[in-house]
Amino acid sequence: MRTTPIRKRNPVATRATILAAAHQRFVRESYDGVGLRDIASDAGVDVALIGRYFGSKEGLFREVVFADKEADLFREPKSAADLPAFLAQLVAEDADEDRQHRMEMFIIMLRSASSPKAGEIIRDLVHLDVLGPLAELIGKDGELRANMLLSILIGIGVLRSIMRVDALSLDDGDRAECTERFRCLFESALTC
């Protein structure tokens, strides 16, 4: 006689649990350092389910990176003239929850960029969702200028997430001044 109730299978919940466990593993470790058995153990599932839902570790990583992206974030500005203020607001006025999520994604990408498989996925994402839209919006010399803007954003990301520089954690009194300085920095990258 069975004493434990039979658990109903819920593929949507199982898939979400695996994605959440993978996200947390990839925040803490590089792509090459994460094993599927570790993710399966964290999720409380059989490792075979990862293959069933995602095909492979590469497929799972792609899903983590692409599932957590903000759709069309860099398509919000309607003109190149709007871009410096948009980017300044993005880095200076992020809500804590949004910033935390972006920083986790940044850490995942930074930790795993040196892996040939993960690096290719990350490059696809960056070109599709960041560099492509920015270059298109900028127009003349768009690719070069988009890369310059991304370099600034990555530098800010490293200072905040890796080095934990407190000067970029602003209170309301400093926020307006800092936002204006970031706007000038982004404008300079676009016009010089």
Side-chain angles (χ1 to χ4, degrees):
M1 179 174 266
R2 183 186 273 291
T3 58
T4 57
I6 297 174
R7 192 173 80 180
K8 285 187 173 183
R9 294 182 186 190
N10 183 336
V12 173
T14 300
R15 190 174 194 287
T17 300
I18 293 169
L19 273 173
H23 175 97
Q24 289 307 309
R25 275 287 172 169
F26 290 128
V27 166
R28 294 189 313 265
E29 302 173 50
S30 72
Y31 175 86
D32 292 331
V34 173
L36 290 182
R37 292 189 190 287
D38 297 325
I39 294 169
S41 175
D42 293 349
V45 300
D46 187 280
V47 72
L49 288 176
I50 294 175
R52 180 180 300 159
Y53 289 117
F54 303 99
S56 64
K57 179 177 163 181
E58 187 176 342
L60 177 58
F61 184 78
R62 179 178 295 280
E63 190 73 23
V64 166
V65 172
F66 277 83
D68 284 342
K69 73 182 181 76
E70 294 179 54
D72 298 328
L73 177 66
F74 291 96
R75 294 190 188 279
E76 285 182 30
K78 299 304 179 203
S79 71
D82 296 339
L83 202 49
F86 170 79
L87 294 173
Q89 183 177 359
L90 184 68
V91 298
E93 298 182 7
D94 259 350
D96 288 339
E97 189 175 307
D98 291 341
R99 181 180 298 147
Q100 178 64 29
H101 179 73
R102 284 192 190 115
M103 290 302 111
E104 283 183 359
M105 290 310 299
F106 178 74
I107 290 169
I108 288 172
M109 290 189 274
L110 195 61
R111 282 193 198 286
S112 298
S114 63
S115 166
K117 289 180 181 179
E120 184 178 333
I121 293 167
I122 293 165
R123 281 187 300 279
D124 288 349
L125 175 70
V126 168
H127 284 283
L128 179 68
D129 285 351
V130 181
L131 293 175
L134 289 176
E136 182 181 315
L137 186 65
I138 295 166
K140 184 179 183 215
D141 297 325
E143 189 173 330
L144 172 63
R145 294 181 190 282
N147 277 279
M148 292 172 66
L149 293 173
L150 182 59
S151 297
I152 295 167
L153 290 171
I154 288 173
I156 294 166
V158 167
L159 284 173
R160 282 187 172 153
S161 63
I162 306 298
M163 300 177 77
R164 307 261 187 225
V165 173
D166 290 336
L168 295 177
S169 300
L170 308 168
D171 59 32
D172 289 336
D174 297 330
R175 193 173 314 276
E177 180 183 347
C178 189
T179 301
E180 177 58 18
R181 288 177 186 245
F182 278 130
R183 189 199 62 73
C184 290
L185 178 62
F186 291 123
E187 187 173 327
S188 179
L190 282 173
T191 58
C192 289

